[in-house]
Amino acid sequence: MKPFDLVPTAADFSRALTDFDDLVAAQPTEKRNCWFYTALFGAAKQAAEDVGDLGLTVANDIFNSLCFGALAGDSAQPLGEDVAALRRNYENGRESFDGILSADGSPPARWVHPVVRLRWAHYDALQALYPTIRDADLRARVADLLWLVRRDFRAANEAVSAYVISSQLRESVDWVGGVGPLQRALRIERALNRRNGPALQRTESALQSYSSGDLTHHSSFLMRTMLALNIGNAALCGTLAEAAAQAAENEIDPDWHRAENYWDLAVQWHSKARNQTAKEAALWALARCYEKHSDFVFSRPGQYMPHSHAADWLEHAVETLRGIGTPDAKTAAEKLYVRLVALQSRIMGEMPIFYHPIDLSEMVVAAQQRVTGHPLMDALGTLAHIHNPASARSICRDSYAIARQTVFVSRTAQRQLSPTGGTAARNTLLTPDEKLRKRERRRVRMIQHAHLNQALSAQGAILPALQTINNEHRINTRAILPLLQDCIFVLKGHDPLFSRGLVEGARGDWVLSSHLLVPQIEAGFRALLVWLGATPPDDVKNGKREWGMQEFLLDDDCCARLRPVFGEALLYDARVLLVEKFGANLRPSLAHGLLPQGVSGSPYVFYMVYTWWLALRLCFATLQFQASLPGPTDESSESGGDASA
């Protein structure tokens, strides 16, 4: 980043604009983009530099940087994409340039234009100059810059007026070019707390021009900006959104995406207008639109993965009908749900399988050598610690690094499929809160990364080590029981069931092992929490519900009590495996019978292997914790087991 030490005079700025205004006036409106502006100022800068005119060189460089959005504040604080240039994202409601500079203050690798920093004297010169700029686009950006940096209200009003003029000029050629300046004008006007300014009047005038239905997305962009800013005539916009949705449906080749977009807007505007009848009618229309879209996708010749795409839109229809809440809507939702389940049952069969070979031979050999030649209890203890789960912080760092390197991984899935093809979870990528979207993307990325590590550990370390132990020892209930009898993680009287689950897993019956161990793991967490002094919620005390696994692994208070026993990394690992919907989600899948037939021969079996190892690790971790206590724990174990039972 380079600061400008030289402050051009007003005459330098005026000379920079003289030729610029003439060239812009001679150029068609549709060709006035950021490349056109920067090409003009870049050429003028080079010409001035060749003749040694330093003031004119700096003036052209400042205008060039402004048009390209590469300006930073006086204290090297980035300013924002709001004045980035003709190519900027006008819908961005932030007033900071946190996307332009890297963490160290340098431009990212993809940014080819040098980022420059203005001094306070430069803003003084621009403040005196901007009213004389004839080009509406450039005048709007200079005034917008002064509004962002200096909170100059006169400049803000001038920016609104200039953006409106720019919108009118561009809208006459193409609605795409006209919508951006108008969105930015609305945001400035809302920041000025002007409820019925020229930007809003121009917006409503543009919307009313589509009284018979907008055949583009022009109205939708403007309406969503108005909804975000809580401005506009709700009744009028609701009617116009319905007209646009109907126009999209009535085309010879219906545009279902545009129709759904406008029906969704109609629902939001009617909700804002508190017109419940119109809102319900719009919801019905939106559900029917989703259903028609599903039928269209399924019947389209050559459609890739037709069952998956059709099920996605039909699921939206079911959710919309359930959201209406009336008896008729619930009945219609149940009928569509039968069709949805039939479609989802075919999804897994049409999904492509991606293969990527990974060499785990070194991991396998190392795991086998660690458990070879030891007594059974020592070998099981080594197996329990043969893999150390990564902490949430390291998973976050590694998953982010992989996402930056791999385009496919960086596009985090918006939904997670269950083994039967149904939707197990959706993330919140579509929420209007940008911070929440980033947090959710990071959370899902971390879960999927930990999920993959569990499968690799099961194949490369746990299974080879267990096979080696089976070759040297006979694992049976009699050999396992001594390990469990003194463990406070195992409920009193439940040790035969727990040992049966471990033995069946050692024999290779992973389905039976998982069905036995997962309930015992949940009971073990519950008993241990009671032993550690945790107080169950009131509705649990009153017998209204169980104290479930979700609370043990997601509740902050429960995790704080369990952390000294198991550590943060192991608790996060258990959470990903057992209760996270973007992970294996094994506990609900087993409890509700959602695992399909033939799961023992699918890759899902590796998560059952990992469940067996997790149960073993939890027992050994609890025994180590008991050994670190100052006094005997036998009596406490009995009281903890009785209390939880």
Side-chain angles (χ1 to χ4, degrees):
M1 184 187 304
K2 58 172 184 177
F4 283 126
D5 295 321
L6 176 69
V7 179
T9 64
D12 293 329
F13 281 117
S14 298
R15 285 190 297 148
L17 292 175
T18 300
D19 295 335
F20 168 79
D21 286 333
D22 295 336
L23 291 172
V24 169
Q27 191 73 11
T29 305
E30 64 270 17
K31 294 186 179 180
R32 299 180 193 172
N33 52 34
C34 75
W35 309 111
F36 167 73
Y37 279 69
T38 54
L40 288 182
F41 285 119
K45 170 195 170 185
Q46 187 62 47
E49 193 172 3
D50 291 341
V51 299
D53 193 337
L54 189 56
L56 186 59
T57 300
V58 174
N60 279 298
D61 204 0
I62 289 176
F63 283 130
N64 191 13
S65 301
L66 176 61
C67 291
F68 220 100
L71 286 177
D74 184 61
S75 60
Q77 178 66 30
L79 291 179
E81 293 173 345
D82 290 334
V83 291
L86 302 178
R87 61 173 186 77
R88 72 181 179 282
N89 177 13
Y90 289 93
E91 191 60 30
N92 180 12
R94 299 169 298 163
E95 292 192 348
S96 63
F97 267 124
D98 50 348
I100 286 187
L101 298 182
S102 302
D104 59 354
S106 61
R110 66 179 183 275
W111 191 257
V112 297
H113 194 281
V115 179
V116 298
R117 187 177 73 218
L118 298 185
R119 302 198 182 279
W120 206 246
H122 293 98
Y123 296 116
D124 292 334
L126 290 173
Q127 193 159 16
L129 175 74
Y130 79 85
T132 65
I133 301 176
R134 286 189 293 169
D135 180 67
D137 284 313
L138 185 60
R139 185 169 70 254
R141 280 150 186 78
V142 175
D144 199 349
L145 177 67
L146 293 169
W147 159 245
L148 288 176
V149 175
R150 288 191 163 180
R151 285 300 187 234
D152 187 320
F153 288 92
R154 289 185 179 180
N157 289 320
E158 183 61 38
V160 170
S161 302
Y163 277 130
V164 170
I165 295 173
S166 174
S167 172
Q168 291 172 329
L169 292 174
R170 297 182 176 279
E171 208 171 288
S172 61
V173 179
D174 181 17
W175 69 266
V176 177
V179 68
L182 206 51
Q183 287 176 308
R184 179 56 189 157
L186 286 171
R187 293 189 178 278
I188 298 176
E189 205 168 68
R190 185 66 180 87
L192 296 173
N193 202 23
R194 294 172 62 181
R195 286 285 179 173
N196 194 26
L200 182 57
Q201 293 176 9
R202 171 59 191 159
T203 302
E204 291 183 341
S205 174
L207 293 177
Q208 289 175 358
S209 65
Y210 298 109
S211 57
S212 60
D214 187 0
L215 300 180
T216 68
H217 290 276
H218 182 222
S219 299
S220 67
F221 281 104
L222 295 177
M223 286 183 182
R224 291 202 181 276
T225 302
M226 295 165 68
L227 281 169
L229 299 176
N230 194 25
I231 58 176
N233 187 330
L236 171 65
C237 291
T239 303
L240 293 175
E242 287 186 354
Q246 292 168 358
E249 288 183 344
N250 295 333
E251 293 179 357
I252 298 177
D253 186 11
D255 189 336
W256 299 113
H257 289 286
R258 197 171 81 238
E260 290 153 2
N261 184 23
Y262 278 111
W263 280 125
D264 179 61
L265 282 167
V267 170
Q268 295 184 59
W269 282 115
H270 290 317
S271 177
K272 184 179 178 183
R274 299 182 181 179
N275 189 339
Q276 188 62 30
T277 303
K279 177 184 175 182
E280 184 176 327
L283 283 170
W284 273 100
L286 178 60
R288 287 192 293 268
C289 189
Y290 282 137
E291 183 181 1
K292 293 176 183 178
H293 195 174
S294 173
D295 296 337
F296 169 75
V297 168
F298 187 72
S299 60
R300 182 165 52 187
Q303 172 65 47
Y304 178 68
M305 296 177 61
H307 294 88
S308 176
H309 288 86
D312 193 20
W313 295 114
L314 200 61
E315 185 176 358
H316 284 300
V318 172
E319 291 175 352
T320 303
L321 289 171
R322 287 175 175 172
I324 297 175
T326 61
D328 292 342
K330 291 180 180 178
T331 303
E334 291 304 316
K335 292 181 180 179
L336 288 184
Y337 183 72
V338 175
R339 291 175 51 192
L340 175 63
V341 172
L343 286 172
Q344 289 177 337
S345 65
R346 306 287 296 275
I347 289 178
M348 303 305 290
E350 68 182 9
M351 291 189 68
I353 300 176
F354 297 94
Y355 293 98
H356 180 69
I358 301 177
D359 186 4
L360 300 176
S361 56
E362 293 184 4
M363 185 186 299
V364 170
V365 172
Q368 291 173 338
Q369 291 177 349
R370 289 184 62 181
V371 298
T372 301
H374 296 288
L376 178 58
M377 284 297 107
D378 293 343
L380 289 177
T382 303
L383 175 57
H385 294 84
I386 206 166
H387 160 67
N388 289 317
S391 65
R393 179 173 297 180
S394 63
I395 290 174
C396 180
R397 182 184 62 249
D398 295 343
S399 62
Y400 179 71
I402 293 174
R404 291 193 63 181
Q405 298 171 3
T406 311
V407 176
F408 181 78
V409 177
S410 64
R411 296 180 60 85
T412 305
Q414 294 189 16
R415 64 172 179 164
Q416 176 81 0
L417 294 179
S418 68
T420 58
T423 300
R426 288 184 182 272
N427 64 24
T428 55
L429 288 177
L430 301 182
T431 179
D433 189 339
E434 185 177 1
K435 290 184 178 179
L436 184 59
R437 285 202 306 270
K438 287 183 178 180
R439 190 183 307 122
E440 181 67 7
R441 282 197 296 267
R442 181 174 63 247
R443 187 186 72 86
V444 172
R445 193 168 58 230
M446 289 172 58
I447 293 172
Q448 292 174 338
H449 186 74
H451 188 54
L452 177 61
N453 286 344
Q454 290 172 349
L456 293 177
S457 300
Q459 296 175 68
I462 299 171
L463 280 175
L466 179 59
Q467 183 179 5
T468 302
I469 294 175
N470 278 325
N471 292 337
E472 297 182 356
H473 304 280
R474 183 181 178 185
I475 303 178
N476 53 31
T477 304
R478 182 179 299 177
I480 295 292
L481 274 176
L483 171 69
L484 306 177
Q485 288 176 344
D486 297 329
C487 181
I488 58 177
F489 186 76
V490 180
L491 274 174
K492 187 177 180 63
H494 287 216
D495 41 340
L497 277 176
F498 210 111
S499 62
R500 174 77 184 278
L502 292 175
V503 170
E504 295 298 335
R507 293 174 179 173
D509 193 344
W510 301 111
V511 176
L512 177 57
S513 171
S514 298
H515 279 81
L516 289 172
L517 288 176
V518 170
Q520 297 308 313
I521 292 174
E522 182 172 0
F525 278 127
R526 187 183 298 113
L528 186 58
L529 281 170
V530 172
W531 186 84
L532 292 170
T535 304
D538 292 336
D539 49 356
V540 172
K541 293 178 181 178
N542 298 334
K544 294 182 179 179
R545 67 177 179 89
E546 286 288 327
W547 201 7
M549 186 90 77
Q550 295 254 352
E551 289 171 298
F552 304 155
L553 299 177
L554 298 178
D555 182 72
D556 292 338
D557 180 63
C558 292
C559 288
R561 292 180 181 275
L562 294 172
R563 200 171 292 123
V565 183
F566 302 117
E568 184 177 355
L570 187 60
L571 287 176
Y572 184 78
D573 208 43
R575 166 180 164 181
V576 170
L577 179 71
L578 297 173
V579 299
E580 283 288 1
K581 293 182 178 180
F582 279 96
N585 200 27
L586 203 57
R587 192 270 180 193
S589 299
L590 291 174
H592 301 293
L594 298 178
L595 293 181
Q597 185 178 4
V599 69
S600 58
S602 70
Y604 206 81
V605 73
F606 293 121
Y607 301 108
M608 295 183 172
V609 174
Y610 201 85
T611 303
W612 179 90
W613 173 86
L614 179 66
L616 187 67
R617 176 64 177 266
L618 292 172
C619 289
F620 273 97
T622 307
L623 289 172
Q624 288 177 345
F625 175 74
Q626 291 176 239
S628 67
L629 296 177
T633 59
D634 294 338
E635 296 180 3
S636 301
S637 173
E638 294 182 7
S639 62
D642 294 340
S644 57

